[in-house]
Amino acid sequence: MNKTYRRPLIAGNWKMNRLPSEAEPYIERLKNEIPRERSCDIVLCVPFTVISSMVASAADENINVGAQDVSFNDFGAYTGEIAAETLSDLKVTYCIVGHSERRAYHAETDADVNKKAKKLLSEGLTPIICVGESLEQREAGIYPEFVTYQAEAALAGLDSGAVSRCVIAYEPIWAIGTGKSIVPEQAEEVCRDIRGAVSRKYGESSAEAVRILYGGSMNPGNCADILAQPNIDGGLIGGASLKPADFGRIIMAADGGAN
Ligand code: PGA
């Protein structure tokens, strides 16, 4: 399968960090690090309360703004939740679903992730579906089955056109925020398995179109080798996305790698 069919995506995940007033200075610094014309897509997934100021600062720079979670319900009595329609009205174009931190701390299930992905797609947003194994699952050798199962469960009931529009982020839990980055070939192996599972269920053209990212301690030092892998189409970056200089260097690696 030919990687050049897919436009690389570099996604930042700010998690519960930064203030609305920090969006503008961040973008001012980031835009000095990267060219205006690029061959990769960029999205910054920021806290809900940072979305408006980030959209105001980032839109002119051709940088997308994403959210980190969404409700699978329509508008209604769901205190504290955010509707996909609200995100769309705010000009949010991507949204992370099923991040391992939400699965662990908010008991988000595969069924929830599936419903959230469907809701986002119905509002025209791109879901970034996170999957990934724990250290115990890796050591037990069951990670390929576990990760492909999570991906299949997240995509269940979608047609092949919708699957093509999704982004899947492979994030081994043991590599998130630990500085323990994966060996690039190991990340490639799992991303290839995920693409294989998509191909079997939804056909070759969906598998060729779906973008699969790696996430987990990606940084300016290790990104080039990871992004060079044939089945890895970009990165989901936590800690390093908080620093515009580091995030810019990762963007440059993706941009150069695509040429
Ligand atoms: P990290 O986080 O880059 O800080 O490891 C990645 C993520 O959780 O998406």
Side-chain angles (χ1 to χ4, degrees):
M1 283 197 199
N2 194 337
K3 186 174 183 171
T4 56
Y5 288 134
R6 301 182 292 276
R7 193 170 160 86
L9 172 65
I10 297 297
N13 176 9
W14 277 16
K15 309 194 179 183
M16 197 178 75
N17 292 296
R18 299 287 189 254
L19 302 168
S21 59
E22 290 178 285
E24 193 187 342
Y26 179 96
I27 293 297
E28 282 304 309
R29 265 182 280 155
L30 179 61
K31 77 182 194 200
N32 292 332
E33 309 284 335
I34 56 177
R36 260 198 94 77
E37 299 297 323
R38 300 167 215 122
S39 54
C40 67
D41 293 332
I42 305 173
V43 58
L44 280 163
C45 299
V46 297
F48 290 129
T49 45
V50 179
I51 286 172
S52 289
S53 54
M54 187 54 92
V55 168
S57 304
D60 283 353
E61 304 307 323
N62 196 17
I63 294 171
N64 296 284
V65 179
Q68 300 171 11
D69 186 35
V70 67
S71 172
F72 50 70
N73 292 301
D74 291 324
F75 287 137
Y78 302 102
T79 304
E81 296 285 285
I82 303 282
E85 215 176 318
T86 303
L87 296 179
S88 162
D89 192 64
L90 285 167
K91 310 228 171 339
V92 165
T93 47
Y94 289 80
C95 181
I96 296 171
V97 290
H99 191 281
S100 60
E101 287 151 18
R102 292 212 60 88
R103 293 180 192 257
Y105 309 141
H106 301 274
E108 200 163 297
T109 65
D110 288 323
D112 295 339
V113 175
N114 177 241
K115 286 195 274 182
K116 290 180 181 195
K118 285 179 176 153
K119 180 58 70 188
L120 290 166
L121 288 161
S122 75
E123 287 297 329
L125 279 84
T126 301
I128 301 176
I129 298 163
C130 298
V131 297
E133 81 283 0
S134 65
L135 188 57
E136 295 71 40
Q137 288 167 324
R138 171 143 295 252
E139 285 173 351
I142 58 169
Y143 59 95
E145 295 80 10
F146 178 74
V147 170
T148 50
Y149 167 79
Q150 277 188 320
E152 284 171 6
L155 301 174
L158 295 177
D159 62 29
S160 51
V163 170
S164 305
R165 287 164 48 210
C166 289
V167 174
I168 301 172
Y170 168 54
E171 297 207 301
I173 298 169
W174 49 272
I176 294 178
T178 57
K180 267 196 228 162
S181 165
I182 198 165
V183 174
E185 290 73 19
Q186 287 180 347
E188 163 64 14
E189 182 196 16
V190 179
C191 293
R192 193 182 54 222
D193 285 349
I194 295 171
R195 201 177 302 283
V198 170
S199 177
R200 279 192 300 281
K201 260 213 149 98
Y202 301 97
E204 187 92 347
S205 67
S206 292
E208 198 120 53
V210 70
R211 290 186 288 183
I212 302 179
L213 314 182
Y214 168 77
S217 298
M218 198 189 263
N219 60 46
N222 63 21
C223 65
D225 288 343
I226 295 172
L227 294 171
Q229 301 299 317
N231 281 289
I232 298 181
D233 306 310
L236 179 56
I237 296 114
S241 74
L242 294 170
K243 301 181 200 120
D246 286 0
F247 195 52
R249 284 170 64 195
I250 298 171
I251 292 166
M252 292 305 287
D255 204 40
N259 290 324

